[in-house]
Amino acid sequence: MFTMSLGDDKAELRPLEPWRAEDFLAHLDRARELVDPWIPFASYATDLDSARALLQRYADKQAADTGRLYGIWLADTLVGGVLFPSFDAERGNCEIGVWLEPAAQGRGLITRAAERLIDWAVHERGMHRVEWDTSPGNTRSIAVAERLGMTRDGVLRQSYLHRGERHDSEIWSVLAPEWRARTGR
């Protein structure tokens, strides 16, 4: 197992694996009201079995090199996460997603965690395009995409169904040459 420091505040990035289901469920219970409108899987993991199944799905995606899921830990408490819901190494495209519980907001944790994952995707895995998919109403998520130097590609109108209602998706992206110029690597 590994941990990756996110800075001097002792925040860490760690893999979220099935054996962490209790921590994951407790975290989602604290975060659910805030993140459910933006992160649909928050409504799927409502008990220990469903939380473990969701983590197992991402463990399987990691084994197949098609996705990954990491937790953001602060003082040994899981407070958020960052993931690759899709990861296509052959085509050089991936999508990154994030979430954070209310008590951990305002510390830059999401931006720092996303930077680590984008860095790894571009510099280590050779990804060419990293996408950010958000709701047009999620101003905090849009602000992070802007801080990451992403470009707004457009809106996919009514592209997904959540809780019986159609929602728009706003797509942002950063390309490898842009990320390399930004990071100086």
Side-chain angles (χ1 to χ4, degrees):
M1 157 117 145
F2 78 90
T3 62
M4 179 182 290
S5 173
L6 292 177
D8 294 336
D9 57 1
K10 300 190 192 246
E12 295 179 331
L13 200 58
R14 301 179 192 168
L16 262 177
E17 298 168 328
W19 64 274
R20 291 280 195 187
E22 287 183 31
D23 291 326
F24 183 58
L25 180 61
H27 158 65
L28 282 181
D29 286 344
R30 292 188 303 272
R32 194 174 319 278
E33 185 177 326
L34 176 70
V35 304
D36 184 60
W38 319 120
I39 306 290
F41 75 59
S43 63
Y44 306 144
T46 56
D47 58 30
L48 197 53
D49 287 338
S50 57
R52 188 174 293 111
L54 184 107
L55 295 178
Q56 184 61 54
R57 191 173 98 223
Y58 274 91
D60 294 344
K61 284 180 121 184
Q62 182 163 336
D65 199 26
T66 60
R68 285 170 171 64
L69 176 63
Y70 300 94
I72 299 171
W73 300 79
L74 190 58
D76 286 324
T77 301
L78 178 61
V79 296
V82 61
L83 72 156
F84 290 117
S86 64
F87 193 88
D88 187 339
E90 185 178 324
R91 289 193 170 110
N93 298 322
C94 63
E95 177 190 343
I96 189 169
V98 298
W99 76 94
L100 198 63
E101 66 184 60
Q105 291 181 342
R107 302 167 190 242
L109 295 171
I110 289 295
T111 302
R112 289 184 275 156
E115 285 172 337
R116 298 300 190 293
L117 259 64
I118 295 169
D119 237 25
W120 177 81
V122 170
H123 296 295
E124 299 296 322
R125 294 304 309 278
M127 288 290 142
H128 179 73
R129 176 183 170 85
V130 180
E131 280 190 5
W132 186 273
D133 184 340
T134 187
S135 167
N138 191 341
T139 57
R140 294 182 85 117
S141 179
I142 291 167
V144 174
E146 290 172 337
R147 280 194 298 276
L148 293 169
M150 292 186 160
T151 298
R152 182 178 181 266
D153 294 333
V155 174
L156 302 175
R157 298 177 307 137
Q158 298 186 5
S159 64
Y160 71 97
L161 184 66
H162 181 61
R163 298 196 178 271
E165 189 175 324
R166 301 298 303 181
H167 297 269
D168 294 346
S169 292
E170 189 166 301
I171 307 299
W172 291 71
S173 67
V174 64
L175 304 179
E178 297 164 343
W179 189 256
R180 287 188 194 102
R182 182 181 187 273
T183 60
R185 293 183 26 190

